[in-house]
Structure formats: structure tokens, C-alpha cells
């Protein structure tokens, strides 16, 4: 039950584009960031947050809506992150 509450809070923070999303996700999913660091050591916070949205399996449209960017900007960012 506690995990579900934490997951629900993370999704709510993502939908609100909250600055607390990164710290809350790090607290509840430390392994995720260890794995990211093993792949790419110098990710910026904005890139980490983008990875969180992908990990949450949000659609392109949802991510664009929650982060106030256009779908085209999102697709460009996704393509660039895949190149790294």
C-alpha cells in the first residue's frame, strides 16, 4: 500500500511538473539513478526529469502537456537523449 501511495504521489508531481519530482523519485527509486549514472555520468537535472517521465511510461502527448512544451520539442529532446 505504501508503495502505491508513493507511486501516486510521483505521478501527481509529474503531472504538476513539480520541482519536487526529482527528489521524490530519487528517494523512492535510488537504483534507477545508479543505473543512469553507469550509462551517462553527467546528466543535468532537466535530463534526469525527462528520464523520469520516460520511466513512468508517459506518452509523448502527456509529457508535452505536463512540461508545457510542444510535442515537436519533446520528440527532438527524446531523439537527442537517445544519441547519447
Amino acid at each position: 500500500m505504501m508503495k502505491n501511495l508513493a507511486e501516486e504521489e510521483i505521478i501527481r508531481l509529474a503531472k504538476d511538473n513539480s520541482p519536487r519530482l526529482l527528489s521524490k523519485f530519487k528517494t523512492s527509486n535510488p537504483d534507477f539513478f545508479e543505473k543512469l549514472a553507469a550509462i551517462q555520468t553527467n546528466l543535468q537535472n532537466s535530463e534526469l526529469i525527462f528520464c523520469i517521465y520516460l520511466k513512468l511510461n508517459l506518452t509523448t502527448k502527456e509529457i508535452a502537456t505536463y512540461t508545457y512544451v510542444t510535442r515537436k520539442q519533446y520528440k527532438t529532446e527524446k531523439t537527442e537523449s537517445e544519441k547519447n
Side-chain angles (χ1 to χ4, degrees):
M1 179 83 175
M2 286 298 273
K3 186 164 185 163
N4 286 339
L5 290 175
E7 288 174 3
E8 287 177 19
E9 182 179 3
I10 288 169
I11 291 170
R12 183 184 53 77
L13 293 171
K15 288 180 177 181
D16 293 343
N17 198 26
S18 172
R20 292 183 32 232
L21 174 62
L22 184 58
S23 63
K24 181 67 178 178
F25 199 88
K26 279 185 178 181
T27 302
S28 60
N29 297 283
D31 294 344
F32 178 72
F33 291 98
E34 290 174 16
K35 290 176 185 176
L36 279 178
I39 297 167
Q40 180 66 282
T41 57
N42 58 346
L43 292 173
Q44 298 177 10
N45 282 348
S46 61
E47 295 168 317
L48 292 172
I49 291 169
F50 181 72
C51 290
I52 292 170
Y53 283 118
L54 295 176
K55 177 70 174 169
L56 293 173
N57 293 317
L58 298 176
T59 66
T60 303
K61 184 177 180 179
E62 289 171 320
I63 294 170
T65 299
Y66 302 152
T67 58
Y68 309 105
V69 298
T70 65
R71 290 174 80 178
K72 184 176 180 181
Q73 287 172 305
Y74 161 77
K75 287 181 180 183
T76 300
E77 188 171 329
K78 183 176 180 183
T79 302
E80 289 175 5
S81 70
E82 290 172 349
K83 289 179 184 177
N84 291 331

